[in-house]
Each structure stands twice: as C-alpha cells, then as structure tokens.
Amino acid sequence: MRTSRFPLFTSKETPADAEIVSHQLMLRAGLIKRLGAGLYTWQPLGLRVMRRVERIVREEMDRINGLEVLMPAVQPAELWRESGRWSLYGPELLRLEDRHERDYCIGPTHEEVITDYLRQELRSYRQLPVTYYQIQTKFRDEIRPRFGVMRAREFVMKDAYSFHLDQDSLETTYRDMHAAYSAIFSRLGLRFRSVGADSGAIGGSVSEEFMVLADSGEDEIASCDQCDYAANTELARSRPAAPAATDPLPAERRSTPGIESVAEQCTLLGLTPGQVIKSVVVMADEAPAVLFVAGDDELNEVKAAHALGAETVRLAEPAEALAATGVPRGFIGPRDLPAGLTQLVDHRAATRVNFSSGANQADGHWINLNWDRDMPLPPTADLRTALAGEGCPRCADGRLEIHRGIEVGHIFQLGTKYSEAMDARVLDEAGDARPLIMGCYGIGVSRVVAAAIEQNHDARGIRWPAPLAPFDVAIVSIGAERSAAVAEAAERLYADLQAAGLDPLWDDRDARPGVKFADMELIGIPHRVVIGERGLNAGELEYRARDATASEALPLDDAANRLVARIQDGA
C-alpha cells in the first residue's frame, strides 16, 4: 500500500481526555476515532491490526474443530427471562423495544442465543461434543466508559460455546481451549499469564482469565515466585497462618467512647492492627451477615460472596448494620452478638489469640478475647485479599508476587446453568433426556489491540509485535518526486517485497524526512527501509528495526532478499 492511497491520520498532540498510553497512541496514530462515549470508529490502520488478531484467533479455533457462526446482536428478552438474567444482569444490559412494544436487548454475550439455537438442533448424544464460535460486536452499557477501547461500550469479541453430555467431555474441551488461548496469545507476541478467576455474571463453577501483563492493568494478579500458581486477587489464596504460640490472657472490657475505626481503636488501646478483629456487616443478596477479619486485612467481597453462596455481596450501610445487629458502627464484635445472624470468620482471623473487638454495646471494646473460650468460633472461610510476600498455597517454598494485568480472555465451565433453565436436553445412550453441559470461552478482540500497545510502546509511539503490525515493513523514499532513481528503486523494492508475500507500506508522500520517520515510528511498523540519493550513490539502502537504536546499511542489489529473510525469521 502507498500512503498516497492510504492516508495516515496521525497527530502530534495527545488528546486531553486520553488517560492511558494505548488510548493516547490509538488516537494519535489514527487507529480509531471517537464517535461518542465508549463508541469508536476503527479507521483503516486500526482495522488492519484487528483483522490480524481475528485471523490468528480463527486459525486456532478452527484447529480445535470450532464451527464459526454469526448470531444476531439484537436478542429477544424472552430468552433472557428464561435464563433469569433479564432482571439479574443489571444496567449494563441495553434494553429496547421494537415498534410492536416487544422487549429486546443488545447482546453483551450470547449464552442464551446459542442455547436456544442448539436446543432446536441437537437431539442425540451422538452429535456431541460440539463447539461453536463467532467474532462479533457486543454492547455493554458501561456506567463510565474510559481508556478508549479498553473499556468501551461497543467492542468486538470472539465468543465460543461448547456442548457436552458429561463433565469429562467438558473438561477435555476446556483443556483444549486453554491450549488454544495460550497459542493465540503466544502467536500474537504478548507476555501473558492464565490465572484462576471469578465467574461473575456469566456463571459456572470453574473459570480462568488470560491476562496481558502491563503496569496499567486494572486487575491484580497474585503469582508464586517458585511454581505455576497464579490467580486474580479476587480469588488468590495464601498459605494458612500457623496459630500464634501465645498463652491466653484474661478478657477485659474497656471504655472506648467515640471509636469507629481500627486505627482509632489501636491508638486508644495501645494495639497493632494485627491484634484487632474487625466486624464487617454485609448484605448478601440483601440479607445481613457479619464477617470477621483481622484488622490488618481487607475483606474480599468476591470471596465473601462465594463463601455465603450469594449472587451479590455489598457492604451494609450504617443504618442497615444497626438494624441487623442493634449495635452502633464501630462497636460490633463476636462476643454477645445477637442470635440468628449469619456469621463467618476468616481463616487467618480464626488463628488470632488475645485480640480486641467490639463489645456489642456503644462505647465499649473487649481486649484479650479468644475463640472457643469467650465465644464459639463461627464457621471459617477464606475472606481476605492475599498480599505480596505471603506464602504460596500450592508449594512449600514459594512467595506471592503481585502484578498488574489486562484481562483479554476468559474461559468458563458453565455446567448446566443455562441448559437447565432453558430446557436444552439431548437423549443419552439409554434414551433418557439429559441437560446439555456447557462451556463458554471469550476473547476481547478489540481489547487485545489496546493491551498490546500498553505492553509495547516507547516515547516515539507504538512498537507492534510483528504478528500484529498493520504492515510488515515501511519503505520511506526521500526526494522521489525530484529523483527518478529514488522513485525507481522504491518502486522496485515495493514490488519485490509484495512478490515475496510481504505487506509493505510505501511512504511516497512529498513530505520532510523527519515527518515520515516520526509517522512510521508512531504507527509502529517493525521494519523500515530508507531510500535516498546518497545511499543509492553508495549502492546501499538504510535499514532500521523499530526496536533498534541505530541504522545499518543493506546492499541495494540484495536488499529485498535480506529484508524478506529478516522478517520471516522474526529478526
């Protein structure tokens, strides 16, 4: 492609509303153009990158026998009511009515549609297992779209769905999909980790996220420095703490007027946060529960939801906590707590001895409380957020490290969540109708583009991994409009590279060399060749890789072959 026929919509200025590097560079390099909040037009340069992602995704999905379909973006509300998600999904689901006042939504995902499709097509276990996938536009009405395409309202996703008669078959496909995702992100040239994760609104019992490692990532990943343990901090565990080897002391009630926070409690009573058990009142599916965690730990609401078997968990408002316990904020504790309340204690908090907590009366706290002596130990669960430096839960010697990551893929074992709700069944070998067992597997195709930039950029612009680059090589001709020799050499090299199967971009603009160089670096093409009169007179072309700090000379008569070899070898 020639830039005279492929205009570059580049800009020197960084948009004021672009908060992260990928958003800034995608706008400056002319990959996308904002239409509205969370809505972007993919311009020709950006679309070339996204199509490269799609090609690799398709190849790996086809390799594991995925069948590509394309389902409607607009979905009838009846299907979502069948699954129960019409009322549960929340305000991110964009709802609308047609002219007949029938309810629809713009699909954020397609579990209901694929289940409806295949409950009509699948009849026998002989048709299983089967996996369908699509690459399609989705819409989620984010309350605060930001970071460009990283958290846009409209985005492109590859979503796949597998159907099975039994759990063993699902687990086989799940492993195949994990391998396929690993191959996709490896082929794209990205540094990534797969981590255990929460299934969220999609549902299911087992799920893993694929995270591109980047300092700007919204997610935190805990991983072991010795083994392959890794999990999103929403679910990450650490090695259980050993009980303290301390003799119990007599419990004492102290007057603590006006105390609300752990810090104030520690100051008044001369304690450290580790000697405090804090009582957190939550609303689990709008029912109150009291959770006990150590004063130097943070309650993890995702873990709390799992432990309580709840769809949603939120911190109770002060008035809700008072109504549930009869105790003012800051003075709730495990001793003499009103009967009938659901209680859980975190594993680490359960090992603490001689701790302080609220006295369940205004302006009072206990010190030197001990479980089982002063009050029964409630059921225990993992309720806290794991921290860097804590012991790995899987191996004996490892310590947890915390990294930031960008979620680009997520795979789920759904089980029968949708097939039971929507009566999707097949006949087994004995002729009995059995619910389909499902898996669900997503990749944020448009988000991959932004994540790659977050991981691969410098002060001059984007540094695309070669498999993602919009063009393989940039040809920059200097003074071709004045020199027939330069124009002829550029034309010949351009044709030779195309004949060799490469996709070159020839910058044939009548512009200053500095402008051309800056644009080629900004848009991130991995290889650049400069053709000018001085080099031609010496029988050379000037070559520089995007990651290099200096240029080198290539002999004119063999430049095309050497370029092809470097690019094909990944050098």
Side-chain angles (χ1 to χ4, degrees):
M1 188 67 69
R2 304 166 190 252
T3 54
S4 55
R5 299 176 186 173
F6 190 93
L8 299 176
F9 300 113
T10 59
S11 171
K12 293 181 180 179
E13 302 300 322
T14 299
D17 62 341
E19 301 175 66
I20 61 173
V21 169
S22 60
H23 191 193
Q24 296 167 1
L25 290 177
M26 290 183 81
L27 290 170
R28 286 190 54 215
L31 273 64
I32 57 173
K33 186 76 172 179
R34 185 180 184 274
L35 175 65
L39 303 172
Y40 292 89
T41 296
W42 283 79
Q43 300 188 99
L45 192 69
L47 192 58
R48 289 177 71 92
V49 178
M50 188 153 64
R51 291 290 184 252
R52 290 203 169 196
V53 177
E54 291 176 2
R55 177 180 61 80
I56 290 175
V57 168
R58 279 193 172 92
E59 289 173 359
E60 295 301 329
M61 289 297 98
D62 294 345
R63 198 184 308 278
I64 59 170
N65 300 312
L67 303 170
E68 186 169 9
V69 294
L70 185 61
M71 293 177 275
V74 178
Q75 304 179 18
E78 286 80 5
L79 296 181
W80 284 71
R81 291 189 176 110
E82 273 192 80
S83 72
R85 290 206 298 173
W86 184 256
S87 58
L88 290 177
Y89 203 89
E92 287 187 3
L93 186 66
L94 182 63
R95 297 165 169 86
L96 64 154
E97 288 185 353
D98 68 4
R99 67 179 67 192
H100 304 293
E101 298 184 344
R102 291 186 291 245
D103 290 329
Y104 290 85
C105 65
I106 306 295
T109 182
H110 275 69
E111 284 81 9
E112 285 81 2
V113 176
I114 193 69
T115 303
D116 176 66
Y117 166 50
L118 288 178
R119 71 181 171 181
Q120 301 175 60
E121 299 297 329
L122 299 178
R123 293 287 178 266
S124 167
Y125 73 95
R126 298 181 187 278
Q127 296 169 279
L128 303 176
V130 66
T131 299
Y132 285 83
Y133 78 93
Q134 65 173 347
I135 297 176
Q136 193 231 36
T137 298
K138 302 284 195 288
F139 191 94
R140 294 178 186 170
D141 198 5
E142 294 275 358
I143 188 172
R144 186 168 162 258
R146 54 195 174 130
F147 305 152
V149 301
M150 194 77 78
R151 190 169 287 282
R153 294 196 292 169
E154 184 177 277
F155 54 95
V156 176
M157 176 189 278
K158 186 285 301 178
D159 47 321
Y161 308 90
S162 65
F163 294 81
H164 312 266
L165 188 66
D166 55 52
Q167 181 66 23
D168 287 347
S169 175
L170 169 60
E171 290 177 3
T172 296
T173 296
Y174 187 85
R175 288 192 296 270
D176 290 344
M177 196 66 70
H178 189 286
Y181 273 40
S182 297
I184 287 167
F185 298 122
S186 294
R187 288 183 60 188
L188 290 171
L190 301 174
R191 301 188 305 280
F192 70 95
R193 289 291 299 264
S194 63
V195 300
D198 178 54
S199 297
I202 302 298
S205 57
V206 177
S207 77
E208 287 177 83
E209 292 171 332
F210 286 77
M211 296 278 192
V212 167
L213 303 179
D215 291 339
S216 59
E218 289 188 276
D219 291 284
E220 283 192 335
I221 306 162
S223 62
C224 177
D225 61 2
Q226 299 293 325
C227 74
D228 62 356
Y229 175 78
N232 192 302
T233 52
E234 289 179 336
L235 292 184
R237 298 173 291 113
S238 58
R239 192 179 308 134
T246 304
D247 292 332
L249 299 173
E252 297 180 39
R253 192 182 183 284
R254 297 286 183 87
S255 176
T256 53
I259 293 300
E260 289 191 359
S261 69
V262 169
E264 292 171 332
Q265 186 178 342
C266 290
T267 299
L268 182 64
L269 299 177
L271 305 173
T272 65
Q275 294 173 287
V276 172
I277 297 295
K278 56 188 176 184
S279 310
V280 185
V281 182
V282 300
M283 304 301 289
D285 293 340
E286 299 309 304
V290 184
L291 309 180
F292 301 108
V293 295
D296 52 355
D297 283 332
E298 290 299 323
L299 176 70
N300 185 311
E301 292 179 30
V302 173
K303 289 183 178 181
H306 286 291
L308 292 165
E311 290 283 343
T312 61
V313 164
R314 63 175 176 84
L315 297 179
E317 298 294 335
E320 293 173 320
L322 179 61
T325 65
V327 180
R329 179 180 178 180
F331 301 99
I332 303 169
R335 179 167 175 172
D336 302 323
L337 190 66
L341 277 172
T342 298
Q343 302 177 47
L344 287 178
V345 60
D346 176 68
H347 290 315
R348 289 205 170 209
T351 66
R352 300 294 163 95
V353 298
N354 299 329
F355 59 83
S356 172
S357 196
N360 288 317
Q361 293 180 1
D363 299 334
H365 280 79
W366 287 99
I367 63 170
N368 298 330
L369 287 178
N370 287 273
W371 299 112
D372 290 328
R373 184 194 70 179
D374 300 307
M375 63 271 151
L377 176 67
T380 62
D382 181 12
L383 301 174
R384 62 185 290 277
T385 298
L387 302 175
E390 293 178 349
C392 173
R394 182 173 295 170
C395 70
D397 300 322
R399 294 287 167 181
L400 294 183
E401 298 175 335
I402 306 296
H403 308 278
R404 301 206 70 84
I406 300 166
E407 181 191 346
V408 291
H410 206 155
I411 59 177
F412 304 82
Q413 292 186 27
L414 291 179
T416 58
K417 173 182 171 72
Y418 295 91
S419 55
E420 290 274 15
M422 300 180 68
D423 196 27
R425 301 175 186 273
V426 296
L427 298 179
D428 64 14
E429 197 167 1
D432 297 324
R434 291 171 53 181
L436 290 162
I437 296 176
M438 292 176 58
C440 169
Y441 319 92
I443 289 179
V445 173
S446 49
R447 178 179 263 220
V448 164
V449 178
I453 295 172
E454 289 294 330
Q455 197 177 79
N456 299 276
H457 66 272
D458 59 20
R460 296 171 293 174
I462 302 167
R463 297 165 52 182
W464 291 117
L468 276 168
F471 296 95
D472 296 319
V473 57
I475 301 170
V476 178
S477 54
I478 306 299
E481 65 281 356
R482 300 184 301 275
S483 169
V486 170
E488 180 184 347
E491 186 80 57
R492 184 168 61 253
L493 180 61
Y494 179 66
D496 288 347
L497 294 176
Q498 285 184 316
L502 298 182
D503 195 1
L505 176 66
W506 177 8
D507 192 344
D508 60 349
R509 294 175 294 175
D510 182 9
R512 298 191 312 275
V515 171
K516 294 186 175 187
F517 297 158
D519 278 350
M520 294 305 107
E521 291 180 328
L522 174 60
I523 66 176
I525 298 177
H527 305 273
R528 185 188 75 195
V529 179
V530 179
I531 302 175
E533 279 194 329
R534 182 182 302 174
L536 291 181
N537 291 336
E540 296 174 342
L541 304 182
E542 180 187 293
Y543 165 79
R544 180 182 290 193
R546 176 63 179 82
D547 290 338
T549 57
S551 300
E552 58 183 282
L554 295 180
L556 179 61
D557 58 0
D558 196 36
N561 290 332
R562 295 198 180 198
L563 274 172
V564 170
R566 285 182 183 229
I567 294 169
Q568 291 180 343
D569 291 343

